[in-house]
Amino acid sequence: KLIMLTSVTERGGARLSKEAGYDAYLTKPIKRGLLENSLCALLTGQSQTPSSEILTRHTLAEIPRAGKILLAEDNATNQMLAVKLLERMGHRVTVASNGLEVLEHLADQTFDLVLMDCQMPMLDGYETVAAIRAATVDGVDTAIPVIAMTASAMAEDRDACLTAGMDDYLSKPVRAATLAAALERAAAALAHRRTAPP
């Protein structure tokens, strides 16, 4: 039995790996549950969950997308690179240059998630996510997924982001594969949230 493990996500990757003779296709970083399900399916013929998609797991380009993303980033170069990367993945992106703009956009429009730079003028990422979670601005979804983006890559920085109320963490420079994996996790969490009973 062969399992393809790759950090490169591309449209049709699962199909191409199957045509090449692989029995399963997983993208890195590997989630424990997906790895367990794939191994169980390959070794016993049955997965631990009722999903029929374990052996043909979709890449980010093939799963339901997060869709509309609010990018909070004050650096013009980082904005341009992130927007280009996200748009290549098929997302629609709105840019905010500081935390106050983030709150204004969230109050006026509906977004599926926020990519939040931690160091911004006027209102930084930590203060902004705190305001979101505390419902200090009318019309803002307090449960919207927020993914931190920071140049600080220490374990304590990640912990600080999660403690502040962010759902996930990416260190800069953000790589396409790690961004894709984070968005995939967010999409899965969002789908679960939308289908969960009230």
Side-chain angles (χ1 to χ4, degrees), residues 1-15:
K1 301 292 184 180
L2 296 174
I3 300 177
M4 166 71 79
L5 303 180
T6 178
S7 59
V8 179
T9 58
E10 59 181 18
R11 185 178 296 276
R15 177 182 54 79

Side-chain angles (χ1 to χ4, degrees), residues 60 63-67 91 113 145 147 181-194:
L60 180 70
I63 66 170
R65 294 186 174 89
H91 300 284
L113 66 84
I147 300 174
L183 294 178
E184 186 177 340
R185 290 191 294 271
L190 192 61
H192 180 268
R193 174 185 160 203
R194 286 174 173 168

Side-chain angles (χ1 to χ4, degrees), residues 70-76 78-79 82 96-99 102 114-121 123-129 146-152 161 166 168 170-172 174:
L70 179 57
L71 171 66
E73 171 63 64
D74 64 313
N75 181 281
N78 290 344
Q79 286 177 0
S97 297
N98 59 64
V102 169
V114 180
L115 284 171
M116 184 81 75
D117 182 20
C118 291
Q119 305 301 325
M120 294 184 293
L123 203 65
D124 68 21
Y126 301 107
E127 295 167 320
T128 304
V129 76
V146 177
I147 300 174
M149 296 189 305
T150 176
S152 304
C161 291
M166 301 189 200
D168 208 338
L170 294 172
S171 60
K172 296 179 183 178
V174 176

